[in-house]
Amino acid sequence: MAGGFGGPTDGEEFEAKITPIVVISCILAASGGLMFGYDIGISGGVTSMPEFLREFFPVVYKRQQIPGLESNYCKYDNQGLQLFTSSLYIAALIATFFASYTTRVLGRKMSMFIAGIFFIIGTILNAAAQNLIMLIVGRLLLGCGVGFANQAVPLFLSEVAPTRIRGALNLLFQLMCTIGILVANLINYGTSRIKGGYGWRISLGLAGIPSLLLTFGALIVTDTPNSLIQRGKLEEGKAVLKRIRGVDNVDPEFLEIVEASRVAKEVKHPFRNLLKRRNRPQLVIAIWMQIFQQFTGINAIMFYAPVLFQTLGFKSDASLYSAVITGAVNVLVTVVSIYFVDRAGRRVLLLEAGVQMFLSQLVVAIIMGLKVKDHSNNLGHVLAIIVVVMVCSFVSSFAWSWGPLGWLIPSEMLPLEAHSAGQSVAVCTNMLFTFIIAQAFLSMFCNIKFGIFLFFTFWVFVMTTFVVVLVPETKGVPIEEMTERVRKQHWFWERYFEDKLKGKLHALNYLTSSYLDLKLRISSLIFERALKKCSPALLSWILFYLSCILFFFNLVYQFNCQSCL
Ligand code: BGC
């Protein structure tokens, strides 16, 4: 997932059966992931329903009713409307900090219960909303639920599941997330046909089902043996381990958990560890994988597909229907990715997807640029179908690459001494950039029009280059060999392993040895200097700040632009 990460997935195989409690865990994973996906998918469809707009965003509603009043690209450009979608992610970001504390100190079970309660109250507020404040507060509470669920559920799963199905459960969370998005699309399609103007309330209210499932599920299950042992409840932890494994001899696994918990307690400053030079490669990769995942533009589609299709001139029905098609492609291809991830290798999938995403978005940009003008739209039937096919092609390539791998690669790369801290940083970065995309997309669409897809193709190019140059293959690499593979054997990251001087000399040798003439030696020296000055961490921060500045400029522009409000 989205949070589809527990601890490292390798480990010794212990005696274990698939017991009912493990099955219940799967149902829990389903409801946590389903809830996250449902919240992603539901807002775009609701946003495109006229009754919803009339009630909460009359300005936007007016634009839909009077043709030609506003540019095709700007019909939905409204900060409040975007806040309805984005507020969830900023709340999730903040909640993640508290969730990592409660998950550690109060246990996974309690954290899942807290998530469920947030989800229930948020859902009630949303479904019963009488004004914008209720709507936004509801979304903020749902966001808190997402923050807690995304922290606790994957961890719970990875600790309860026997080793042999741990990896699959990791990806199951991402799969459930995509199913949640599809279910939301289908429900929007159904409720948009309800006469009486309350269809959107049903869309928002049906989130109650996975919320209740998660809450009651959290009440039924016991906490994980790892959590109990970490909190000093050794006997209880052992009893639970026996129960969930369905065997009497759990001593080897019990001893391993006790040892792991002792080692974990010795890690006094995980964040400080994470910032150590030796962990810089993993930190840089973890952060950039999240930023890039969002800058593929996937959530422009997941959040706003119905709005986008309406801009292209589709009727309300056809837009919601097309969103269902893209949602279905997302689910199907995610299933396929579960099969391929461990066979094809991470880099191959990321590189193929890079090319496919680039071309798909480029075609959409060209068609829109040629056919969809501010006040006219000549997109015929054939071109409309091509656009939907291209969007599906983009979504499918995301679903077998940056979707699952954006989470999996950082999770399997992070060293144990900084694993929890690294995961929190990854989740927070993802939530921050999800928020930025949700809050900025419709305004950027209004301002740079079809160019928004060129903006994403630019990022796809950058991230694919990043993969080529800086992401090592981690397929089939056991956790204990990860450091060796990531740092020692990588042409660039190896400098973070050897001491500073040796690292520099080695990198220089590496660069120069492949060039024969003096000229190329000099240019490699310059390149080396530039790389040294522009460390990836520094580059990360520069690009991060540039993105934020871009975003805030856009906000300022929006608030000053009379015709936009
Ligand atoms: C991403 C979400 C995205 C989803 C789409 C996840 O991996 O984190 O932001 O909406 O994939 O399937």
Side-chain angles (χ1 to χ4, degrees), residues 162-221:
T163 327
R164 63 179 184 280
I165 63 164
R166 218 167 269 174
L169 276 190
N170 245 303
L171 291 176
L172 185 71
F173 205 91
Q174 169 74 16
L175 178 63
M176 284 304 155
C177 167
T178 61
I179 293 178
I181 297 174
L182 175 62
V183 170
N185 289 334
L186 282 166
I187 287 176
N188 278 335
Y189 184 60
T191 58
S192 69
R193 291 150 173 265
I194 294 177
K195 300 272 177 289
Y198 59 87
W200 62 269
R201 288 196 192 273
I202 299 186
S203 286
L204 297 178
L206 281 175
I209 297 177
S211 312
L212 286 173
L213 214 63
L214 180 64
T215 315
F216 287 116
L219 282 178
I220 294 167
V221 298

Side-chain angles (χ1 to χ4, degrees), residues 1-2 36 40 174 177-178 181 293-294 298-299 302 330 398 402-404 407 430 434:
M1 127 159 165
F36 182 62
I40 291 174
Q174 169 74 16
C177 167
T178 61
I181 297 174
Q293 189 201 55
Q294 291 308 313
I298 187 64
N299 280 327
M302 293 297 130
N330 195 15
F398 174 88
W402 287 91
W407 295 104
N430 191 282
T434 308

Side-chain angles (χ1 to χ4, degrees), residues 82-278:
Q82 293 177 99
L83 192 65
F84 167 62
T85 299
S86 72
S87 49
L88 188 146
Y89 300 94
I90 205 74
L93 192 164
I94 295 164
T96 304
F97 291 107
F98 296 97
S100 71
Y101 174 79
T102 59
T103 308
R104 208 175 53 243
V105 177
L106 303 177
R108 315 346 176 188
K109 175 183 158 91
M110 192 53 164
S111 303
M112 289 191 297
F113 181 71
I114 297 175
I117 299 292
F118 272 126
F119 280 144
I120 292 175
I121 305 176
T123 303
I124 294 174
L125 278 181
N126 264 191
Q130 300 300 322
N131 50 45
L132 193 56
I133 307 242
M134 268 177 95
L135 207 61
I136 302 290
V137 172
R139 286 289 284 182
L140 288 172
L141 291 175
L142 288 175
C144 293
V146 166
F148 276 85
N150 283 6
Q151 188 83 23
V153 175
L155 200 57
F156 178 89
L157 285 176
S158 67
E159 291 173 352
V160 159
T163 327
R164 63 179 184 280
I165 63 164
R166 218 167 269 174
L169 276 190
N170 245 303
L171 291 176
L172 185 71
F173 205 91
Q174 169 74 16
L175 178 63
M176 284 304 155
C177 167
T178 61
I179 293 178
I181 297 174
L182 175 62
V183 170
N185 289 334
L186 282 166
I187 287 176
N188 278 335
Y189 184 60
T191 58
S192 69
R193 291 150 173 265
I194 294 177
K195 300 272 177 289
Y198 59 87
W200 62 269
R201 288 196 192 273
I202 299 186
S203 286
L204 297 178
L206 281 175
I209 297 177
S211 312
L212 286 173
L213 214 63
L214 180 64
T215 315
F216 287 116
L219 282 178
I220 294 167
V221 298
T222 59
D223 214 340
T224 67
N226 309 53
S227 172
L228 292 166
I229 292 167
Q230 266 168 29
R231 289 182 287 140
K233 302 178 179 175
L234 295 187
E235 282 315 308
E236 205 184 327
K238 191 167 183 179
V240 169
L241 193 60
K242 278 189 186 163
R243 235 178 30 240
I244 63 173
R245 295 289 175 255
V247 292
D248 277 337
N249 180 20
V250 290
D251 286 347
E253 187 173 359
F254 176 71
L255 290 176
E256 197 191 80
I257 299 176
V258 172
E259 175 59 11
S261 126
R262 188 191 62 76
V263 172
K265 277 197 187 123
E266 273 174 13
V267 178
K268 289 277 179 286
H269 305 288
F271 279 96
R272 215 178 284 168
N273 289 344
L274 185 65
L275 292 176
K276 289 205 171 120
R277 184 180 160 81
R278 63 167 179 270

